[in-house]
Amino acid sequence: MLDINLFRENPDVVRKALRDRQMDPQIVSTVQVQDERRRQLILQVETLKAERNQVSKEISRIKDPAERQAKIEAMRLVGDRIAGLEKDLHQVEADLNQLLLTIPNLPDEQVPYGKDESENRVVRTVGEPSTLPFEARPHWELGVNLGILDFERGVKITGSRFYVLSGAGARLQRALIAWMLDLHIRQGYTEKYTPFMVKEQTLIAAGQLPKFYDNLYRDAEEDLWMVPTAEVPLTGLYMDEILEEADLPLAFTAYTPCFRREKMSAGRDVRGIKRGHQFDKVEMYVYCLPEDSADKHAKMLADAEETCALLGLTYRVVELCTGDLGFAMQRTYDLEVWSPGVQEWLEVSSISNAGDYQARRANIRYRPADGGRTRFVHTLNGSGLGLPRTLIAVLENYQQEDGSVVVPEVLRPWMGGVEVIQPVENRKEA
RNA sequence: GGAGGGAUGGCCGAGUGGACGAAGGCGGCUGUCUUGAAAACAGCUGUGGGUAUUACACCCACCGGGGGUUCGAAUCCCUCUCCCUCCGCCA
């Protein structure tokens, strides 16, 4: 949510942001009109209330019954007028709020302009896209041949885009999760285990609703929604709280499954495990002082890069242009790892600074140490790597000519010392 | 799922239609005293919004959320949420 004062004092800043995001700036004027109406109504309502309060106090002291009755009558009429105006006011405020919830964050000044993802900027590439001395197989061949990836049974029990990991495959994913969590803990993040279902308000706070309604799963009867990313419960953690400056920064890491309907991307990336309705992710999340968020963003990017580097994966850092920037974010870097089987750069992480945008929606503030007025915190989030894609990259980069897959060194402690994933002998186990 | 009891400021805890933004206590801050500290004493101690001659001014709202009754609601009524106790079910 943007500060309403921006629309009063600097509407052109908002218009430019919307244009840069390839959106219609018309809504800015609509907000201004509603805001003006709101303030007029507040002025009227409060003037009447002040009058009523004052006269009501007098009534309790008036002895003369006729005078008393006259004042009561007069105040009854004032009460009716207040009720009418308040009804209008509530409507205007609800409308205004709905409008503000649909307006995205302002891109940071340093974000390059671009109309869509084709204009994102590669900041740097670390490593060389690997060339294997034999023809690289895609993970869906590798995984099935090894007996660690079962598409047919996933489809059978749930449906299209679902799969089952088996044996060393399931264990490899679990190893990645455990290893990443431990790495992030070393990097200074505190582990959190959160609910995987949240209420609507929590999704609004994180900026997922109302915009991404179509991409979310929910219980049809209750106000319970499956999280599309750990960012949602982690943003909600401090909803409606006032932190002390001394408490900041707060840095968290959490593993959660993520559930996404992905209606809009039906038909894309149908092959393999790159895009599913359910996937696992380890997330990093930071609450900090406004003046620190750029530094924290750099640190989080470095932490995510370390994850790729320790896995021995070739990756590149991409800065998102204005047209591709996420709804709630002011600046975002994507991390993409090279995977020789699918022959593409896989987006495994998105590291974003939301500024105070989510904090406003979630109403998360802090009290400055000098005792001044409360301010909104800044929030940042970044995947410590999305699991299916990291799994793809590991399988495809570490494959050998005979179809086996070497387990990256760092993961072996979580793999019971297994160094190479070999084909499973017993077909039933697969 | 059934029955009952609760929800008040940073915390504890009073209030029962007007004098209540809310007693009292604790904690915190400031001052006096002190070489310093403690103690004692005194004062202060929430959030949001509106107005604006931007004056640490005035006004409005907030006692779990929403709605109602009333000239006036922390207080009465309805409803929702959450917590506690007991029963049932359950990994």
Side-chain angles (χ1 to χ4, degrees):
Chain A
M1 180 118 60
L2 298 179
D3 186 349
I4 188 68
N5 287 308
L6 266 176
F7 294 82
R8 295 173 192 164
E9 293 157 15
N10 255 322
D12 287 338
V13 168
V14 184
R15 290 196 181 93
K16 177 175 188 304
L18 288 167
R19 274 193 290 267
D20 285 351
R21 281 179 179 272
Q22 313 299 305
M23 295 172 71
D24 187 352
Q26 174 58 37
I27 193 168
V28 173
S29 308
T30 313
V31 167
Q32 287 179 314
V33 169
Q34 289 289 84
D35 178 47
E36 186 52 40
R37 264 204 79 197
R38 170 174 171 271
R39 284 190 288 168
Q40 277 174 15
L41 284 166
I42 286 174
L43 187 58
Q44 293 177 57
V45 165
E46 293 194 347
T47 304
L48 289 172
K49 278 189 174 177
E51 182 191 351
R52 183 177 68 180
N53 286 347
Q54 200 190 328
V55 175
S56 287
K57 253 177 214 166
E58 289 170 19
I59 288 174
S60 65
R61 290 192 297 267
I62 293 175
K63 296 281 160 35
D64 180 59
E67 188 188 348
R68 189 184 166 92
Q69 199 52 41
K71 295 254 189 199
I72 287 176
E73 283 300 328
M75 285 311 102
R76 180 177 300 152
L77 294 178
V78 168
D80 290 346
R81 286 182 62 198
I82 291 173
L85 288 168
E86 277 196 323
K87 204 181 158 201
D88 294 345
L89 177 60
H90 286 152
Q91 188 58 52
V92 168
E93 288 191 321
D95 291 349
L96 180 58
N97 198 250
Q98 277 306 114
L99 281 174
L100 289 175
L101 288 178
T102 65
I103 298 175
N105 201 354
L106 267 27
D108 187 284
E109 288 173 3
Q110 299 177 70
V111 173
Y113 174 83
K115 63 181 186 317
D116 57 39
E117 65 181 318
S118 68
E119 297 187 52
N120 290 342
R121 205 185 63 202
V122 176
V123 177
R124 61 177 168 275
T125 301
V126 179
E128 288 290 323
S130 54
T131 43
L132 298 173
F134 54 91
E135 194 181 343
R137 274 168 292 229
H139 64 285
W140 55 82
E141 278 182 35
L142 276 169
V144 170
N145 291 342
L146 286 169
I148 61 174
L149 190 47
D150 184 347
F151 292 104
E152 288 169 19
R153 292 191 177 95
V155 170
K156 178 169 72 177
I157 61 176
T158 306
S160 167
R161 287 176 183 273
F162 287 88
Y163 54 89
V164 174
L165 293 176
S166 181
R171 194 173 194 182
L172 183 61
Q173 171 159 292
R174 182 160 54 82
L176 279 164
I177 293 165
W179 171 72
M180 284 183 201
L181 284 170
D182 285 356
L183 174 62
H184 294 325
I185 290 168
R186 279 203 300 281
Q187 289 167 336
Y189 300 83
T190 300
E191 184 176 357
K192 291 277 179 181
Y193 171 86
T194 70
F196 301 157
M197 302 173 90
V198 295
K199 54 178 78 165
E200 182 184 17
Q201 186 53 47
T202 309
L203 284 153
I204 291 173
Q208 303 288 328
L209 282 175
K211 186 172 166 92
F212 297 111
Y213 179 87
D214 285 345
N215 279 19
L216 296 165
Y217 288 100
R218 70 178 192 283
D219 183 291
E221 287 163 11
E222 306 230 25
D223 182 24
L224 283 177
W225 304 61
M226 309 296 286
V227 300
T229 159
E231 177 196 337
V232 172
L234 290 175
T235 304
L237 241 31
Y238 290 94
M239 223 175 357
D240 294 319
E241 291 193 35
I242 300 174
L243 304 165
E244 296 298 329
E245 179 171 339
D247 295 336
L248 298 170
L250 293 167
F252 301 123
T253 182
Y255 154 76
T256 68
C258 305
F259 303 95
R260 299 185 184 178
R261 294 173 69 91
E262 302 274 9
K263 260 189 172 170
M264 281 147 8
S265 17
R268 274 180 70 189
D269 307 318
V270 282
R271 201 86 196 266
I273 64 173
K274 181 178 165 190
R275 189 183 294 273
H277 292 305
Q278 170 187 323
F279 64 94
D280 286 18
K281 185 155 61 69
V282 172
E283 187 82 358
M284 294 177 279
Y285 200 93
V286 166
Y287 296 77
C288 69
L289 299 177
E291 51 271 33
D292 289 346
S293 72
D295 287 350
K296 299 295 175 196
H297 196 193
K299 156 96 163 73
M300 193 180 276
L301 174 60
D303 292 337
E305 287 190 60
E306 186 177 5
T307 312
C308 294
L310 288 172
L311 282 173
L313 299 173
T314 290
Y315 67 91
R316 64 183 190 181
V317 179
V318 175
E319 169 150 27
L320 300 197
C321 69
T322 54
D324 195 33
L325 201 57
F327 179 77
M329 303 309 155
Q330 66 181 33
R331 193 169 197 191
T332 296
Y333 296 103
D334 276 359
L335 244 46
E336 301 180 340
V337 299
W338 175 254
S339 206
V342 291
Q343 287 285 308
E344 64 175 307
W345 292 95
L346 293 169
E347 183 194 327
V348 292
S349 180
S350 209
I351 296 108
S352 304
N353 185 354
D356 67 3
Y357 186 87
Q358 284 179 322
R360 278 180 194 282
R361 289 173 81 112
N363 190 29
I364 303 168
R365 292 164 294 166
Y366 75 97
R367 195 183 311 282
D370 64 13
R373 291 186 66 78
T374 57
R375 298 169 69 197
F376 289 103
V377 301
H378 276 201
T379 61
L380 304 100
N381 66 86
S383 346
L385 300 200
L387 263 300
R389 294 179 185 180
T390 308
L391 197 60
I392 292 173
V394 168
L395 292 175
E396 294 185 359
N397 279 289
Y398 283 85
Q399 64 179 301
Q400 301 184 94
E401 192 158 15
D402 67 359
S404 63
V405 171
V406 173
V407 175
E409 196 101 31
V410 291
L411 298 180
R412 290 182 193 168
W414 284 270
M415 290 292 287
V418 171
E419 293 179 12
V420 180
I421 299 175
Q422 302 282 2
V424 173
E425 304 292 336
N426 186 332
R427 299 291 297 170
K428 280 281 166 54
E429 281 177 21

